[in-house]
Amino acid sequence: MLSPKTIVITGASSGLGEALAVEYAAPGILLALTGRDADRLEATAAACRAKGAAVEAARLDVSDAAAMEAWLLALDDRQPVDLVIANAGISAGTGGAVEPADQARRIFAVNLDGVLNSVLPLIPRMQARKSGQIALMSSLAGFRGFPGAPAYCGSKAAVRVYGEALRGTLAASGVAVNVICPGYVRTAMTARNSFPMPLLMDADKAAALIRRRLGRNAARIAFPWPMLAAVWLLQALPPALIDPLMRRLPAKGVDAD
């Protein structure tokens, strides 16, 4: 989809979702945006309208399957969706202890169930039209489990593998699927991290990179490449060798956001 006209972006009230919305905003574009914070979502919508885009903004929790399905299908009835970017996600860790059970379940509900709720209602319609593009937001943290953030890593790993499989499933019907695996991006989410974040990238630069590679229908959009190489190495090394090192890495704080 080199020039999608109707674009859904979840988690657009801040961070990378906000940056992606602004990146795609232009005359002739309809942006359908969701987020949890109504004020921040409206600020994103205003910035996109200032660039000439038409915007429909809805305060929705992506973990609410019924609400997401109703909103997506109503939108698609009015104007068929060309591109959906299932971006909404939350992050938290162990804080150096054991991850709270309610936090772990909430992370999976948003990061995994929320992705499914954002794309499953649209897949049959895109298949029927033999066109459309689905982008799933994973993370470089989805390549190897980090002891300081087990639910976050696990949820992003599930999204990555699901997306890679779904790409093959839908290829014959003309629907593209892309998996996005960023490293550290400068957002409110990463601002909460108290540990060093190598190769931290500004959100607007990350959004521009993602848009370019989605335009080329790249199967996996993973960046920056030195971080990708590092996680590939961690994934390839035997656990007995790498586990002692992994246990010494800093942990994310608790309280999912």
Side-chain angles (χ1 to χ4, degrees):
M1 298 297 297
L2 295 179
S3 55
K5 299 300 183 184
T6 304
I7 304 167
V8 172
I9 303 174
T10 65
S13 56
S14 63
L16 191 48
E18 177 187 5
L20 284 164
V22 173
E23 172 67 26
Y24 276 102
I29 301 297
L30 171 61
L31 292 171
L33 311 177
T34 73
R36 293 176 294 153
D37 187 297
D39 291 338
R40 292 188 307 188
L41 183 62
E42 184 50 41
T44 302
C48 294
R49 292 185 183 112
K51 294 184 66 177
V55 181
E56 295 187 18
R59 184 179 179 275
L60 289 170
D61 185 337
V62 292
S63 66
D64 186 336
M68 286 296 295
E69 180 175 20
W71 180 72
L72 288 167
L73 295 184
L75 170 68
D76 196 71
D77 284 341
R78 295 192 304 276
Q79 191 158 332
V81 173
D82 299 314
L83 167 63
V84 54
I85 304 177
N87 165 78
I90 56 176
S91 173
T94 64
V98 177
E99 188 167 23
D102 58 344
Q103 174 181 288
R105 293 182 185 280
R106 177 60 180 162
I107 288 172
F108 272 92
V110 174
N111 293 4
L112 179 55
D113 291 345
V115 164
L116 298 177
N117 296 339
S118 302
V119 303
L120 288 177
L122 294 173
I123 288 175
R125 294 187 172 205
M126 288 183 171
Q127 286 180 298
R129 293 192 290 265
K130 298 188 182 302
S131 69
Q133 187 168 16
I134 296 168
L136 310 183
M137 189 63 68
S138 180
S139 167
L140 290 182
F143 284 87
R144 211 289 180 187
F146 292 82
Y152 180 76
C153 292
S155 65
K156 292 300 187 179
V159 170
R160 177 176 66 84
V161 176
Y162 172 75
E164 290 169 349
L166 188 64
R167 181 178 172 89
T169 302
L170 297 181
S173 62
V175 179
V177 180
N178 318 91
V179 179
I180 307 168
C181 301
Y184 292 114
V185 176
R186 196 185 308 276
T187 64
M189 183 185 293
T190 55
R192 299 167 67 240
N193 294 339
S194 58
F195 49 83
M197 293 175 283
L199 301 174
L200 183 66
M201 181 180 289
D202 288 336
D204 58 344
K205 292 182 179 179
L209 182 154
I210 290 168
R211 182 182 181 181
R212 288 195 303 272
R213 296 190 187 176
L214 286 177
R216 297 199 297 265
N217 190 26
R220 179 186 293 160
I221 303 169
F223 61 92
W225 73 262
M227 288 289 290
L228 175 60
V231 295
W232 266 108
L233 179 61
L234 290 174
Q235 184 186 51
L237 290 172
L241 180 63
I242 201 66
D243 278 353
L245 171 63
M246 300 294 287
R247 287 195 290 268
R248 291 197 291 270
L249 293 176
K252 282 180 176 286
V254 295
D255 299 327
D257 193 13

